[in-house]
Amino acid sequence: MARVFSGIQPSGDVHLGNYVGAINRWAHDQRPEHTYCIVDLHAITAGHDPATLRAKTLDLATWLLAAGLDPDVCTLFVQSHVPEHAECSWVLECTATMGELGRMVQFKQRAEGRDTVPVGLFTYPVLQAADILLYHAEEVPVGADQRQHIELTRDIAHRFNSRFGETFTLPRATLPPAGARIMDLQLVDKKMSKSLDSPQGTLLLDDSEATTRKKLLRAVTDSGTEVRAAPDKPGITNLLDLFAAVTGAEVAALEQHYDGKGYGAFKGDLAEAVNGFLRPVRDRHAELAADPGAVAEALRKGAAKAQEVASQTMAVVRERVGFLAGTVARSPVE
Ligand code: TRP
């Protein structure tokens, strides 16, 4: 069984795209050799509000637990609770080059030409490499936009191993199945995303059922009336994919069922299906949100498990790099 590591940022509200593309997949696939991380260190690279970050981190953890991630099965933790991430990142920064980081598309999109870009936005992928390499992950489930960062992780790991001796495992990205890519309901050619700033096009897990319904009824559709997936019908195609993703039905079967019924009936049923799909996780989230102590306890357990692995990897890294052996003071996770 492959060792798996993935991370999710506690920035913005959790939406259906995160849920279907990542969170729900993680919950379904979880095993003892899987590690999932709320990457709060990554969430401070572009300006943030401290109180909001703290609240979002707790809320994201609550959603992950509500989705069924079980701290007794996998490892679920908050990145800043395991200081080895920042330490490993520094060592890897001395292995990575300006040239390769400058070629990262995500960095270029966010930063190029701006003089006041925080250095952390530039070194962000190295921290991501540290996340993955500390746990010797073989597979990293991510969206296609993260593929380049995983390639970089391989390059950094390979270079480190060549220079200092076999230390890190070279990971590979595993992309979600096609149907797991949920598109914005208004900007139908864009992936649903917290950075898109399309409130009407983004279905939040935190939305009420009424709001969910309203957003789905107002989702952009195409001209015509036929419920059919086709390249010239991107709006309806997305909604059919979404229907299929939340019910497990085949798109072809849905097309047949809604033949001649029009968009209205289709969207109404879709709203029912999405709300039905999210109801258990929304209910569980409400229960857990009322018991933040239980969430904190799950994260404490997760950090302890994660640190057990990360500290062993760092002990090897320190030795390989040539740091003087001694007693390492580390903030304990009791
Ligand atoms: N950069 C990832 C994103 O924006 C989040 C992330 C951080 C991550 N560290 C990771 C994903 C390690 C996979 C593995 O989605």
Side-chain angles (χ1 to χ4, degrees):
M1 281 296 158
R3 276 186 307 273
V4 167
F5 184 98
S6 198
I8 183 167
Q9 282 205 41
S11 49
D13 291 313
V14 190
H15 56 71
L16 190 67
N18 302 133
Y19 187 71
V20 172
I23 299 173
N24 195 34
R25 242 174 109 207
W26 296 358
H28 267 106
D29 296 347
Q30 65 184 314
R31 299 183 49 85
E33 54 277 6
H34 292 196
T35 304
Y36 299 108
C37 183
I38 298 174
V39 293
D40 55 349
L41 300 180
H42 280 105
I44 63 166
T45 48
H48 72 286
D49 170 62
T52 307
L53 176 63
R54 195 170 290 122
K56 295 275 179 213
T57 303
L58 180 65
D59 190 51
L60 179 55
T62 308
W63 280 114
L64 290 167
L65 293 168
L69 279 177
D70 181 345
D72 290 323
V73 175
C74 64
T75 299
L76 168 67
F77 73 106
V78 175
Q79 191 184 29
S80 66
H81 292 176
V82 181
E84 282 80 356
H85 288 249
E87 184 186 3
C88 186
S89 184
W90 170 253
V91 174
L92 297 181
E93 276 180 39
C94 299
T95 308
T97 69
M98 296 288 286
E100 63 192 350
L101 292 188
R103 284 192 290 278
M104 293 297 114
V105 172
Q106 203 166 55
F107 172 72
K108 289 201 277 188
Q109 282 168 348
R110 292 191 192 159
E112 205 153 74
R114 288 169 48 212
D115 209 33
T116 53
V117 170
V119 175
L121 203 61
F122 185 65
T123 58
Y124 174 114
V126 185
L127 176 61
Q128 184 167 352
D131 296 341
I132 297 164
L133 298 177
L134 278 172
Y135 301 89
H136 303 293
E138 294 153 304
E139 292 182 2
V140 186
V142 281
D145 62 326
Q146 294 298 311
R147 204 181 209 153
Q148 197 186 20
H149 290 169
I150 313 307
E151 287 306 311
L152 174 77
T153 301
R154 290 176 69 88
D155 293 344
I156 292 174
H158 177 72
R159 197 173 305 138
F160 186 99
N161 289 349
S162 311
R163 196 175 293 169
F164 300 111
E166 239 6 80
T167 306
F168 294 124
T169 303
L170 272 51
R172 63 177 177 280
T174 53
L175 301 183
R181 193 159 185 258
I182 306 290
M183 309 302 281
D184 190 274
L185 301 176
Q186 296 295 327
L187 311 166
V188 294
D189 59 335
K190 300 266 194 317
K191 194 171 110 169
M192 195 177 281
S193 158
K194 31 199 164 197
S195 52
L196 212 53
D197 196 24
S198 169
Q200 293 311 312
T202 310
L203 287 177
L204 303 181
L205 296 201
D206 211 26
D207 282 340
S208 67
E209 293 200 0
T211 302
T212 302
R213 186 178 177 80
K214 204 181 304 166
K215 287 182 182 177
L216 283 165
L217 293 181
R218 290 184 189 158
V220 164
T221 42
D222 316 284
S223 56
T225 54
E226 264 177 289
V227 179
R228 185 170 52 82
D232 62 334
K233 293 171 78 78
I236 282 292
T237 303
N238 290 342
L239 296 183
L240 278 163
D241 286 342
L242 176 55
F243 210 139
V246 299
T247 59
E250 298 284 339
V251 169
L254 293 168
E255 287 174 331
Q256 203 169 15
H257 183 81
Y258 289 99
D259 186 26
K261 296 205 173 98
Y263 291 164
F266 171 68
K267 284 174 154 183
D269 289 355
L270 173 60
E272 281 302 306
V274 169
N275 278 327
F277 175 71
L278 290 178
R279 201 166 294 135
V281 65
R282 281 171 166 164
D283 288 349
R284 184 80 189 113
H285 177 269
E287 280 170 31
L288 280 168
D291 188 6
V295 178
E297 171 55 21
L299 294 177
R300 188 202 58 75
K301 215 173 187 171
K305 278 209 271 183
Q307 193 171 42
E308 217 167 282
V309 179
S311 62
Q312 283 179 32
T313 307
M314 269 321 291
V316 175
V317 169
R318 286 192 204 100
E319 196 271 327
R320 294 279 152 85
V321 172
F323 294 156
L324 182 65
T327 305
V328 175
R330 55 185 167 97
S331 54
V333 184
E334 293 94 42

